[in-house]
Amino acid sequence: MCMKQLPEKIYVLDVLRGLAALSVVIWHWQHFFYIGDHPEGLDITRQPLFSIFRPLYLSGYFAVELFFCLSGFVFYWLYSAKIT
């Protein structure tokens, strides 16, 4: 029986991980305007390119979970043979 060899790397997942990481960076931009542990006079709609990055400014923290789930899968994919 001919078995198809699995690819060493899944580039689509690496791109998705990169986009998730960038989403988290954009979401954290608002923290430059915090004084102590809360925003001081922050109007989130005045963030750079808010009209374009609105979903990231408002919900970018969800990308953290996506990033870690994808990373767990990628690391398993890369190292499962060595671990077994």
Side-chain angles (χ1 to χ4, degrees):
M1 188 182 292
C2 182
M3 293 185 64
K4 186 175 178 181
Q5 185 176 357
L6 297 174
E8 287 185 30
K9 208 166 190 175
I10 305 173
Y11 292 101
V12 173
L13 293 182
D14 286 339
V15 170
L16 190 55
R17 282 176 61 215
L19 292 174
L22 183 61
S23 299
V24 173
V25 168
I26 291 171
W27 182 78
H28 276 96
W29 183 262
Q30 64 187 310
H31 292 97
F32 286 116
F33 301 95
Y34 275 44
I35 305 255
D37 63 348
H38 64 283
E40 190 66 36
L42 173 65
D43 179 8
I44 197 156
T45 61
R46 297 190 67 209
Q47 297 292 309
L49 302 173
F50 182 79
S51 60
I52 297 170
F53 295 128
R54 178 186 174 97
L56 302 180
Y57 280 127
L58 299 177
S59 304
Y61 56 89
F62 286 118
V64 172
E65 296 173 14
L66 176 63
F67 177 82
F68 282 118
C69 286
L70 289 172
S71 294
F73 179 81
V74 168
F75 289 141
Y76 175 78
W77 184 269
L78 291 174
Y79 298 112
S80 63
K82 294 177 184 176
I83 291 171
T84 57

Coordinates of all heavy atoms in Angstrom, one line a residue:
M1 N 0.8 -1.2 0.0 CA 0.0 0.0 0.0 C 0.9 1.2 0.0 O 1.8 1.3 0.8 CB -0.9 0.0 1.2 CG -1.9 1.1 1.2 SD -3.0 1.2 2.7 CE -3.9 -0.3 2.6
C2 N 0.6 2.2 -0.8 CA 1.4 3.4 -1.0 C 0.9 4.5 0.0 O -0.3 4.8 -0.1 CB 1.3 3.9 -2.4 SG 2.3 5.4 -2.7
M3 N 1.7 4.9 0.9 CA 1.3 5.9 1.9 C 1.9 7.2 1.5 O 3.0 7.4 1.1 CB 1.8 5.6 3.3 CG 1.1 4.3 3.9 SD 1.6 4.0 5.5 CE 0.9 5.4 6.4
K4 N 1.0 8.3 1.5 CA 1.5 9.6 1.1 C 2.2 10.2 2.3 O 1.8 10.1 3.5 CB 0.2 10.4 0.8 CG 0.5 11.8 0.3 CD -0.7 12.5 -0.1 CE -0.4 13.9 -0.6 NZ -1.6 14.6 -1.0
Q5 N 3.4 10.8 2.0 CA 4.2 11.4 3.0 C 3.6 12.7 3.4 O 3.2 13.5 2.6 CB 5.6 11.6 2.6 CG 6.5 12.1 3.7 CD 8.0 12.2 3.2 OE1 8.3 11.8 2.1 NE2 8.8 12.7 4.0
L6 N 3.5 13.0 4.7 CA 3.0 14.2 5.2 C 4.0 15.3 5.1 O 5.2 15.1 5.2 CB 2.6 14.1 6.7 CG 1.5 13.1 7.0 CD1 1.3 12.9 8.5 CD2 0.2 13.5 6.3
P7 N 3.6 16.6 4.8 CA 4.5 17.7 4.7 C 5.2 18.0 6.0 O 4.6 17.8 7.1 CB 3.6 18.8 4.2 CG 2.3 18.5 4.6 CD 2.2 17.0 4.6
E8 N 6.4 18.5 5.9 CA 7.1 18.9 7.1 C 6.5 20.1 7.7 O 6.6 20.3 8.9 CB 8.6 19.1 6.8 CG 9.3 17.9 6.6 CD 10.8 18.1 6.4 OE1 11.3 19.1 7.0 OE2 11.4 17.4 5.6
K9 N 6.0 21.0 6.9 CA 5.5 22.3 7.4 C 4.2 22.6 6.7 O 4.0 22.3 5.5 CB 6.5 23.4 7.1 CG 6.5 24.5 8.0 CD 7.7 25.3 7.8 CE 7.7 26.3 9.0 NZ 8.8 27.2 9.1
I10 N 3.2 23.2 7.4 CA 2.0 23.6 6.9 C 2.0 25.1 6.9 O 1.7 25.8 7.9 CB 0.8 23.0 7.7 CG1 0.9 21.5 7.8 CG2 -0.5 23.4 7.1 CD1 -0.1 20.9 8.7
Y11 N 2.3 25.7 5.7 CA 2.5 27.1 5.6 C 1.3 27.9 5.9 O 1.4 29.1 6.4 CB 3.1 27.5 4.2 CG 4.5 26.9 4.1 CD1 4.7 25.8 3.4 CD2 5.6 27.6 4.7 CE1 6.0 25.3 3.2 CE2 6.9 27.1 4.6 CZ 7.1 25.9 3.8 OH 8.4 25.4 3.7
V12 N 0.1 27.4 5.6 CA -1.1 28.2 5.8 C -1.3 28.4 7.3 O -1.7 29.5 7.7 CB -2.3 27.4 5.2 CG1 -3.6 28.0 5.6 CG2 -2.2 27.3 3.7
L13 N -0.9 27.4 8.1 CA -1.1 27.6 9.6 C -0.1 28.6 10.1 O -0.4 29.3 11.0 CB -0.9 26.2 10.3 CG -2.0 25.2 10.0 CD1 -1.7 23.9 10.8 CD2 -3.3 25.8 10.3
D14 N 1.1 28.6 9.5 CA 2.1 29.6 9.9 C 1.6 31.0 9.6 O 1.8 32.0 10.3 CB 3.5 29.4 9.2 CG 4.2 28.2 9.8 OD1 3.9 27.8 11.0 OD2 5.1 27.6 9.2
V15 N 1.0 31.2 8.4 CA 0.5 32.5 8.0 C -0.7 32.9 9.0 O -0.7 34.0 9.5 CB 0.0 32.5 6.6 CG1 -0.8 33.7 6.2 CG2 1.1 32.3 5.6
L16 N -1.5 31.9 9.3 CA -2.6 32.2 10.2 C -2.1 32.6 11.6 O -2.6 33.5 12.3 CB -3.6 31.0 10.3 CG -4.9 31.2 11.0 CD1 -5.7 32.4 10.4 CD2 -5.7 30.0 10.9
R17 N -1.1 31.9 12.0 CA -0.4 32.2 13.3 C 0.1 33.6 13.3 O 0.0 34.4 14.3 CB 0.7 31.2 13.7 CG 0.2 29.9 14.2 CD 1.3 28.9 14.4 NE 2.3 29.4 15.4 CZ 3.6 29.2 15.3 NH1 4.1 28.5 14.4 NH2 4.3 29.6 16.3
G18 N 0.8 34.0 12.2 CA 1.3 35.3 12.1 C 0.2 36.4 12.1 O 0.4 37.4 12.8
L19 N -0.9 36.1 11.4 CA -2.0 37.1 11.5 C -2.6 37.2 12.9 O -3.0 38.3 13.3 CB -3.0 36.7 10.4 CG -2.7 36.8 9.0 CD1 -3.7 36.2 8.1 CD2 -2.4 38.3 8.6
A20 N -2.7 36.1 13.6 CA -3.2 36.1 14.9 C -2.2 36.9 15.8 O -2.7 37.7 16.6 CB -3.3 34.7 15.5
A21 N -0.9 36.7 15.7 CA 0.0 37.5 16.5 C -0.1 39.0 16.2 O 0.0 39.8 17.1 CB 1.4 37.0 16.2
L22 N -0.2 39.3 14.9 CA -0.3 40.7 14.5 C -1.6 41.3 15.1 O -1.7 42.5 15.5 CB -0.3 40.9 13.0 CG -0.4 42.3 12.4 CD1 0.8 43.1 12.9 CD2 -0.4 42.3 10.9
S23 N -2.7 40.5 15.1 CA -4.0 41.0 15.7 C -3.8 41.3 17.2 O -4.3 42.3 17.6 CB -5.0 39.9 15.6 OG -5.3 39.6 14.2
V24 N -3.1 40.5 17.9 CA -2.8 40.8 19.3 C -2.0 42.0 19.5 O -2.3 42.8 20.4 CB -2.2 39.5 20.0 CG1 -1.8 39.9 21.4 CG2 -3.1 38.3 19.9
V25 N -1.0 42.2 18.6 CA -0.2 43.4 18.7 C -1.1 44.7 18.5 O -1.0 45.7 19.3 CB 1.0 43.4 17.7 CG1 1.7 44.7 17.6 CG2 2.0 42.3 18.1
I26 N -1.9 44.7 17.5 CA -2.8 45.8 17.2 C -3.7 46.0 18.4 O -4.0 47.2 18.8 CB -3.6 45.6 15.9 CG1 -2.6 45.7 14.7 CG2 -4.7 46.6 15.8 CD1 -3.2 45.3 13.4
W27 N -4.3 45.0 19.0 CA -5.2 45.1 20.1 C -4.4 45.8 21.3 O -5.0 46.6 22.0 CB -5.8 43.8 20.5 CG -6.7 43.9 21.7 CD1 -8.0 44.3 21.6 CD2 -6.4 43.6 23.0 NE1 -8.5 44.4 22.9 CE2 -7.6 43.9 23.8 CE3 -5.3 43.2 23.7 CZ2 -7.7 43.7 25.1 CZ3 -5.4 43.0 25.1 CH2 -6.6 43.3 25.8
H28 N -3.2 45.4 21.5 CA -2.4 46.0 22.6 C -2.0 47.4 22.4 O -1.6 48.1 23.4 CB -1.1 45.1 22.9 CG -1.4 43.9 23.7 ND1 -1.6 42.7 23.2 CD2 -1.4 43.8 25.1 CE1 -1.8 41.8 24.2 NE2 -1.7 42.5 25.3
W29 N -2.2 48.0 21.3 CA -1.9 49.4 21.0 C -2.5 50.3 22.0 O -2.0 51.3 22.5 CB -2.2 49.7 19.6 CG -1.8 51.1 19.2 CD1 -2.6 52.2 19.2 CD2 -0.5 51.6 18.9 NE1 -1.9 53.3 18.9 CE2 -0.6 53.0 18.7 CE3 0.7 51.0 18.7 CZ2 0.5 53.7 18.3 CZ3 1.8 51.7 18.3 CH2 1.7 53.1 18.1
Q30 N -3.8 50.0 22.4 CA -4.6 50.8 23.3 C -3.9 50.9 24.6 O -4.1 51.9 25.4 CB -6.0 50.3 23.4 CG -6.1 48.9 24.0 CD -7.5 48.4 24.0 OE1 -8.4 49.1 24.4 NE2 -7.6 47.2 23.5
H31 N -3.1 50.0 25.0 CA -2.5 50.0 26.3 C -1.4 51.1 26.5 O -1.0 51.4 27.6 CB -1.9 48.6 26.7 CG -3.0 47.6 26.9 ND1 -3.4 46.8 25.9 CD2 -3.8 47.4 28.0 CE1 -4.4 46.0 26.3 NE2 -4.6 46.4 27.6
F32 N -1.0 51.7 25.4 CA 0.0 52.8 25.4 C -0.7 54.0 26.0 O -0.1 55.0 26.4 CB 0.5 53.2 24.0 CG 1.5 52.2 23.5 CD1 1.3 51.4 22.4 CD2 2.7 52.0 24.2 CE1 2.2 50.5 21.9 CE2 3.7 51.1 23.7 CZ 3.4 50.4 22.6
F33 N -2.1 54.0 26.1 CA -2.8 55.2 26.5 C -3.4 54.9 27.9 O -4.2 55.7 28.4 CB -4.0 55.5 25.6 CG -3.4 55.8 24.2 CD1 -3.4 54.8 23.2 CD2 -3.0 57.0 23.9 CE1 -2.9 55.0 22.0 CE2 -2.5 57.3 22.6 CZ -2.4 56.3 21.7
Y34 N -2.9 53.9 28.6 CA -3.4 53.6 30.0 C -2.5 54.4 31.0 O -1.3 54.6 30.8 CB -3.2 52.1 30.3 CG -4.4 51.3 29.8 CD1 -5.0 51.5 28.6 CD2 -4.9 50.3 30.7 CE1 -6.1 50.7 28.2 CE2 -6.0 49.5 30.3 CZ -6.6 49.7 29.0 OH -7.7 49.0 28.7
I35 N -3.1 54.8 32.0 CA -2.4 55.4 33.2 C -2.7 54.4 34.3 O -3.9 54.3 34.7 CB -2.9 56.8 33.5 CG1 -2.8 57.7 32.3 CG2 -2.2 57.3 34.7 CD1 -1.7 58.7 32.2
G36 N -1.7 53.8 34.8 CA -2.0 52.7 35.8 C -2.6 51.5 35.2 O -2.1 51.0 34.2
D37 N -3.8 51.1 35.7 CA -4.4 49.9 35.2 C -5.7 50.2 34.4 O -6.5 49.3 34.2 CB -4.7 48.9 36.3 CG -5.6 49.5 37.3 OD1 -5.9 50.7 37.3 OD2 -6.1 48.7 38.2
H38 N -5.9 51.5 34.1 CA -7.1 51.8 33.3 C -6.8 52.9 32.3 O -5.9 53.7 32.5 CB -8.3 52.2 34.2 CG -8.0 53.5 35.0 ND1 -7.2 53.5 36.1 CD2 -8.4 54.7 34.8 CE1 -7.1 54.7 36.6 NE2 -7.8 55.5 35.8
P39 N -7.7 53.0 31.2 CA -7.4 54.0 30.2 C -7.8 55.4 30.7 O -8.7 55.6 31.4 CB -8.4 53.6 29.1 CG -9.4 52.7 29.7 CD -8.8 52.1 30.9
E40 N -6.9 56.3 30.4 CA -7.1 57.7 30.9 C -7.6 58.5 29.6 O -6.7 58.9 28.8 CB -5.9 58.2 31.5 CG -6.0 59.6 32.2 CD -6.9 59.5 33.4 OE1 -6.9 58.5 34.1 OE2 -7.7 60.5 33.6
G41 N -8.9 58.8 29.5 CA -9.4 59.6 28.4 C -9.2 59.0 27.1 O -9.1 59.6 26.1
L42 N -9.3 57.6 27.0 CA -9.1 56.9 25.8 C -10.4 56.9 25.0 O -11.4 56.4 25.5 CB -8.6 55.5 26.1 CG -8.5 54.5 24.8 CD1 -7.5 55.0 23.9 CD2 -8.3 53.1 25.3
D43 N -10.3 57.4 23.8 CA -11.4 57.3 22.8 C -10.9 56.3 21.8 O -10.1 56.6 20.9 CB -11.7 58.6 22.2 CG -12.8 58.5 21.2 OD1 -13.5 57.5 21.0 OD2 -13.1 59.5 20.5
I44 N -11.4 55.1 21.9 CA -10.9 54.0 21.1 C -11.1 54.3 19.6 O -10.3 53.8 18.8 CB -11.5 52.6 21.5 CG1 -10.7 51.5 20.9 CG2 -12.9 52.5 21.0 CD1 -10.8 50.2 21.6
T45 N -12.1 55.1 19.2 CA -12.3 55.4 17.8 C -11.2 56.3 17.2 O -11.1 56.5 16.0 CB -13.7 56.0 17.6 OG1 -13.7 57.3 18.3 CG2 -14.8 55.1 18.1
R46 N -10.4 56.8 18.1 CA -9.3 57.7 17.6 C -7.9 56.9 17.5 O -6.9 57.6 17.2 CB -9.1 58.9 18.5 CG -10.4 59.7 18.5 CD -10.2 61.0 19.2 NE -9.3 61.8 18.5 CZ -8.5 62.8 19.0 NH1 -8.6 63.0 20.3 NH2 -7.7 63.5 18.3
Q47 N -8.0 55.6 17.6 CA -6.8 54.8 17.4 C -6.4 54.9 15.9 O -7.2 55.1 15.1 CB -7.0 53.4 17.8 CG -7.4 53.2 19.3 CD -6.2 53.5 20.1 OE1 -5.1 53.0 19.9 NE2 -6.4 54.4 21.1
P48 N -5.1 54.7 15.6 CA -4.6 54.7 14.2 C -5.4 53.7 13.4 O -5.5 52.5 13.7 CB -3.2 54.3 14.3 CG -2.8 54.6 15.7 CD -4.0 54.4 16.6
L49 N -5.9 54.1 12.2 CA -6.6 53.3 11.2 C -7.7 52.5 11.8 O -8.0 51.4 11.5 CB -5.6 52.4 10.6 CG -4.4 53.0 9.8 CD1 -3.4 52.0 9.4 CD2 -4.9 53.9 8.7
F50 N -8.5 53.2 12.8 CA -9.6 52.5 13.4 C -10.6 52.0 12.5 O -11.1 50.9 12.7 CB -10.2 53.4 14.5 CG -11.3 52.8 15.2 CD1 -11.1 52.0 16.3 CD2 -12.7 53.0 14.8 CE1 -12.1 51.3 17.0 CE2 -13.7 52.3 15.5 CZ -13.4 51.5 16.6
S51 N -10.9 52.7 11.4 CA -11.9 52.2 10.5 C -11.5 50.9 9.8 O -12.4 50.1 9.5 CB -12.2 53.3 9.4 OG -11.1 53.6 8.7
I52 N -10.2 50.7 9.6 CA -9.8 49.5 9.0 C -9.6 48.3 10.0 O -10.0 47.2 9.8 CB -8.4 49.7 8.3 CG1 -8.6 50.7 7.2 CG2 -7.8 48.4 7.8 CD1 -7.3 51.2 6.6
F53 N -9.0 48.7 11.2 CA -8.7 47.6 12.2 C -9.8 47.5 13.3 O -9.5 47.0 14.4 CB -7.4 47.9 12.8 CG -6.2 47.8 11.8 CD1 -5.3 48.8 11.7 CD2 -6.1 46.7 11.0 CE1 -4.3 48.7 10.8 CE2 -5.0 46.5 10.1 CZ -4.1 47.6 10.0
R54 N -10.9 48.1 13.1 CA -12.0 48.1 14.1 C -12.2 46.7 14.8 O -12.1 46.6 16.0 CB -13.3 48.6 13.5 CG -14.4 48.6 14.5 CD -15.8 48.9 13.8 NE -16.8 48.8 14.8 CZ -17.4 49.8 15.4 NH1 -16.9 51.0 15.3 NH2 -18.3 49.6 16.3
P55 N -12.3 45.6 14.1 CA -12.5 44.3 14.7 C -11.3 43.9 15.6 O -11.5 43.3 16.7 CB -12.7 43.3 13.6 CG -13.1 44.1 12.4 CD -12.4 45.5 12.6
L56 N -10.1 44.3 15.2 CA -8.9 44.0 15.9 C -8.8 44.8 17.2 O -8.4 44.3 18.3 CB -7.7 44.1 15.1 CG -7.7 43.3 13.8 CD1 -6.4 43.6 13.0 CD2 -7.8 41.8 14.1
Y57 N -9.2 46.1 17.1 CA -9.1 47.0 18.3 C -10.2 46.5 19.3 O -10.0 46.7 20.5 CB -9.4 48.4 17.9 CG -8.2 49.1 17.3 CD1 -8.2 49.8 16.1 CD2 -7.0 49.2 18.1 CE1 -7.1 50.4 15.6 CE2 -5.9 49.8 17.6 CZ -6.0 50.5 16.3 OH -4.9 51.1 15.9
L58 N -11.3 46.0 18.9 CA -12.4 45.7 19.8 C -12.3 44.2 20.3 O -12.7 44.0 21.4 CB -13.8 45.9 19.1 CG -14.0 47.4 18.7 CD1 -15.4 47.5 18.0 CD2 -14.0 48.3 19.9
S59 N -11.8 43.3 19.4 CA -11.9 41.9 19.8 C -10.6 41.2 19.5 O -10.6 39.9 19.4 CB -13.0 41.2 19.1 OG -14.2 41.8 19.3
G60 N -9.5 41.9 19.4 CA -8.2 41.3 19.0 C -7.7 40.3 20.1 O -6.9 39.4 19.7
Y61 N -8.2 40.4 21.3 CA -7.7 39.5 22.3 C -8.1 38.0 22.1 O -7.5 37.1 22.6 CB -8.2 39.9 23.7 CG -9.7 40.1 23.8 CD1 -10.5 39.0 24.2 CD2 -10.3 41.3 23.5 CE1 -11.9 39.1 24.3 CE2 -11.7 41.4 23.6 CZ -12.5 40.3 24.0 OH -13.8 40.5 24.1
F62 N -9.2 37.8 21.3 CA -9.5 36.4 20.9 C -8.5 35.8 20.1 O -8.4 34.5 20.0 CB -10.9 36.4 20.1 CG -12.1 36.7 21.0 CD1 -12.9 37.8 20.7 CD2 -12.4 35.8 22.0 CE1 -14.0 38.1 21.5 CE2 -13.5 36.1 22.8 CZ -14.3 37.2 22.5
A63 N -7.6 36.5 19.4 CA -6.6 36.0 18.6 C -5.5 35.3 19.4 O -4.8 34.4 18.9 CB -5.9 37.1 17.7
V64 N -5.4 35.6 20.7 CA -4.5 34.9 21.6 C -4.8 33.4 21.7 O -4.0 32.6 21.5 CB -4.5 35.5 23.0 CG1 -3.7 34.7 24.0 CG2 -4.0 37.0 23.0
E65 N -6.1 33.1 21.9 CA -6.5 31.7 21.9 C -6.3 31.0 20.6 O -5.8 29.9 20.6 CB -8.0 31.6 22.3 CG -8.3 32.2 23.7 CD -9.8 32.2 24.0 OE1 -10.6 31.6 23.2 OE2 -10.1 32.9 25.0
L66 N -6.6 31.7 19.5 CA -6.3 31.1 18.2 C -4.8 30.8 18.0 O -4.4 29.7 17.6 CB -6.8 32.0 17.1 CG -6.5 31.6 15.6 CD1 -7.2 30.3 15.3 CD2 -6.9 32.7 14.7
F67 N -4.0 31.8 18.4 CA -2.5 31.7 18.2 C -2.0 30.4 19.0 O -1.3 29.6 18.5 CB -1.8 32.9 18.7 CG -0.3 32.8 18.7 CD1 0.4 33.0 17.5 CD2 0.4 32.5 19.8 CE1 1.7 32.9 17.4 CE2 1.8 32.3 19.8 CZ 2.4 32.6 18.6
F68 N -2.5 30.3 20.3 CA -2.0 29.2 21.1 C -2.5 27.8 20.6 O -1.8 26.8 20.7 CB -2.3 29.4 22.6 CG -1.3 30.4 23.2 CD1 -1.8 31.6 23.7 CD2 0.1 30.1 23.3 CE1 -0.9 32.5 24.3 CE2 0.9 31.0 23.8 CZ 0.5 32.2 24.3
C69 N -3.7 27.8 20.2 CA -4.3 26.5 19.6 C -3.5 26.1 18.4 O -3.1 24.9 18.3 CB -5.7 26.7 19.3 SG -6.8 26.7 20.8
L70 N -3.3 27.0 17.5 CA -2.5 26.7 16.3 C -1.1 26.3 16.6 O -0.5 25.4 16.0 CB -2.5 27.9 15.3 CG -3.8 28.2 14.6 CD1 -3.7 29.5 13.9 CD2 -4.2 27.1 13.7
S71 N -0.5 27.1 17.6 CA 0.9 26.7 18.0 C 1.0 25.3 18.5 O 2.0 24.6 18.2 CB 1.4 27.8 19.0 OG 1.5 29.0 18.4
G72 N 0.1 25.0 19.4 CA 0.1 23.6 19.9 C 0.0 22.6 18.8 O 0.7 21.6 18.9
F73 N -0.9 22.8 17.9 CA -1.0 21.8 16.8 C 0.3 21.8 15.9 O 0.8 20.7 15.6 CB -2.2 22.2 15.8 CG -2.3 21.3 14.7 CD1 -2.9 20.0 14.8 CD2 -1.8 21.6 13.4 CE1 -3.0 19.1 13.8 CE2 -1.9 20.7 12.4 CZ -2.5 19.5 12.5
V74 N 0.8 23.0 15.6 CA 2.1 23.0 14.8 C 3.2 22.3 15.5 O 4.0 21.6 14.9 CB 2.4 24.5 14.5 CG1 3.8 24.6 13.9 CG2 1.4 25.1 13.5
F75 N 3.4 22.6 16.8 CA 4.5 22.0 17.6 C 4.3 20.4 17.6 O 5.2 19.7 17.5 CB 4.6 22.5 19.0 CG 5.1 23.9 19.0 CD1 4.6 24.9 19.9 CD2 6.1 24.3 18.1 CE1 5.1 26.2 19.9 CE2 6.6 25.6 18.1 CZ 6.1 26.5 19.0
Y76 N 3.0 20.0 17.8 CA 2.8 18.6 17.8 C 3.1 18.0 16.4 O 3.7 16.9 16.3 CB 1.3 18.3 18.1 CG 1.0 16.8 18.0 CD1 1.4 15.9 19.0 CD2 0.3 16.3 16.9 CE1 1.1 14.6 18.8 CE2 0.1 15.0 16.7 CZ 0.4 14.1 17.7 OH 0.2 12.8 17.6
W77 N 2.7 18.7 15.4 CA 3.0 18.2 14.0 C 4.5 18.1 13.8 O 5.0 17.1 13.2 CB 2.4 19.2 13.0 CG 2.5 18.9 11.6 CD1 3.5 19.2 10.8 CD2 1.6 18.1 10.8 NE1 3.3 18.7 9.5 CE2 2.1 18.0 9.5 CE3 0.4 17.5 11.1 CZ2 1.5 17.3 8.5 CZ3 -0.2 16.8 10.1 CH2 0.3 16.7 8.8
L78 N 5.3 19.1 14.3 CA 6.7 19.1 14.0 C 7.5 18.0 14.9 O 8.4 17.4 14.4 CB 7.3 20.5 14.3 CG 6.9 21.5 13.3 CD1 7.4 22.9 13.8 CD2 7.4 21.2 11.9
Y79 N 7.0 17.8 16.1 CA 7.8 17.0 17.0 C 7.2 15.7 17.5 O 7.8 15.0 18.2 CB 8.1 17.9 18.3 CG 8.9 19.1 18.0 CD1 8.3 20.4 18.1 CD2 10.2 19.0 17.5 CE1 9.0 21.5 17.8 CE2 10.9 20.2 17.2 CZ 10.4 21.4 17.4 OH 11.1 22.5 17.1
S80 N 6.1 15.4 16.9 CA 5.4 14.1 17.4 C 6.3 12.9 17.1 O 6.3 12.0 17.9 CB 4.0 14.0 16.8 OG 4.1 13.9 15.4
A81 N 6.9 12.8 16.0 CA 7.7 11.7 15.6 C 8.9 11.6 16.6 O 9.3 10.5 17.0 CB 8.2 11.8 14.2
K82 N 9.5 12.7 16.9 CA 10.7 12.7 17.8 C 10.3 12.3 19.2 O 11.0 11.6 19.9 CB 11.4 14.1 17.8 CG 12.0 14.4 16.5 CD 12.6 15.8 16.5 CE 13.2 16.1 15.1 NZ 13.7 17.5 15.1
I83 N 9.1 12.7 19.6 CA 8.6 12.4 21.0 C 8.3 10.9 21.1 O 8.6 10.3 22.1 CB 7.4 13.2 21.3 CG1 7.8 14.7 21.5 CG2 6.7 12.8 22.6 CD1 6.6 15.7 21.6
T84 N 7.7 10.3 20.1 CA 7.3 8.9 20.1 C 8.6 8.1 20.0 O 8.7 7.0 20.5 CB 6.3 8.5 19.1 OG1 6.8 8.8 17.8 CG2 5.0 9.2 19.3

